[in-house]
Amino acid sequence: MNIILKSVYKDPIWELKMGYYPSPFGLALLAFDSKGNLYALHFVSEGSIHAEETLKNSFSEAVWTSNPSGAAQLGKELFSAPSESSVSLVLYGTEFQQRVWSALLQIPVGNTMTYSELAAFAGVPRAVRAVASEVARNQIAYFVPCHRIIPKHGKNVGEYRWGRALKEKLLNSEKEVYGNIDLTT
């Protein structure tokens, strides 16, 4: 996968497409452009009627169109062989957000970090709360692995925008493939 950094101040989004894909971890709502670049992947809870509205609010300047077949094709490529995918992830945000999300991308599969470790890794060790806020604003679930951030106390995996159960499922999936993950880092 390639990473494209786009500034909210310099690179306006004109058109985005959206559609749903039944990922291995549950139904996902994808936002992408005409080139197939991924801007967002949100997991959708059963009965959630606000998923599209939430997504549109995250990219309020975009013009939206529905594209179920494009989402199916993109989702299949993303989830069948992520490491071989030619899809680009677009990190659309401020410089600070991009710094935090880029740091998330460097956490190896099968590893976890605490918020303070991530802040130090991103070069802003005194900005733990700000880093935590930007982790929560991550638009590309799973592929920008905010699920790998756990609380310092180590009592559980912590909260997750799409629910603790999904976070545990993601971490356990990585654990099955890549070995034992120490959740008490």
Side-chain angles (χ1 to χ4, degrees):
M1 278 188 216
N2 300 314
I3 306 301
I4 298 172
L5 302 176
K6 285 198 169 194
S7 170
V8 294
Y9 303 115
K10 298 176 187 171
D11 303 307
I13 300 172
W14 299 108
E15 182 180 352
L16 286 177
K17 302 166 187 324
M18 74 168 73
Y20 293 91
Y21 181 75
S23 84
F25 306 107
L27 189 61
L29 178 58
L30 308 178
F32 52 98
D33 64 18
S34 59
K35 296 176 183 174
N37 298 320
L38 184 68
Y39 281 73
L41 187 155
H42 291 194
F43 288 107
V44 180
S45 309
E46 284 186 43
S48 175
I49 59 172
H50 302 291
E52 290 180 19
E53 181 182 321
T54 300
L55 183 61
K56 287 178 180 179
N57 287 338
S58 297
F59 299 94
S60 58
E61 66 282 358
V63 175
W64 289 91
T65 56
S66 179
N67 187 337
S69 62
Q73 182 179 353
L74 185 62
K76 184 177 180 182
E77 181 177 348
L78 284 166
F79 285 99
S80 62
S83 62
E84 299 170 18
S85 176
S86 63
V87 173
S88 292
L89 306 180
V90 180
L91 303 181
Y92 186 73
T94 65
E95 185 179 321
F96 184 75
Q97 288 172 321
Q98 291 174 359
R99 175 187 272 196
V100 172
W101 300 333
S102 293
L104 283 171
L105 286 164
Q106 295 178 55
I107 302 171
V109 176
N111 289 282
T112 58
M113 261 187 198
T114 65
Y115 290 100
S116 16
E117 289 170 335
L118 180 64
F121 187 65
V124 287
R126 299 188 70 188
V128 176
R129 285 186 180 179
V131 165
S133 292
E134 300 316 332
V135 167
R137 287 187 182 99
N138 170 27
Q139 295 295 320
I140 306 177
Y142 182 64
F143 296 105
V144 178
C146 54
H147 63 278
R148 294 185 190 143
I149 304 303
I150 60 171
K152 191 187 297 190
H153 60 65
K155 295 177 186 174
N156 57 49
V157 298
E159 298 304 317
Y160 189 54
R161 182 175 179 176
W162 294 282
R164 185 180 291 175
L166 180 56
K167 184 173 185 174
E168 289 172 346
K169 186 176 184 178
L170 294 170
L171 290 170
N172 286 331
S173 170
E174 291 180 354
K175 180 179 177 180
E176 287 174 18
V177 176
Y178 296 98
N180 194 17
I181 298 173
D182 180 7
L183 296 178
T184 61
T185 308

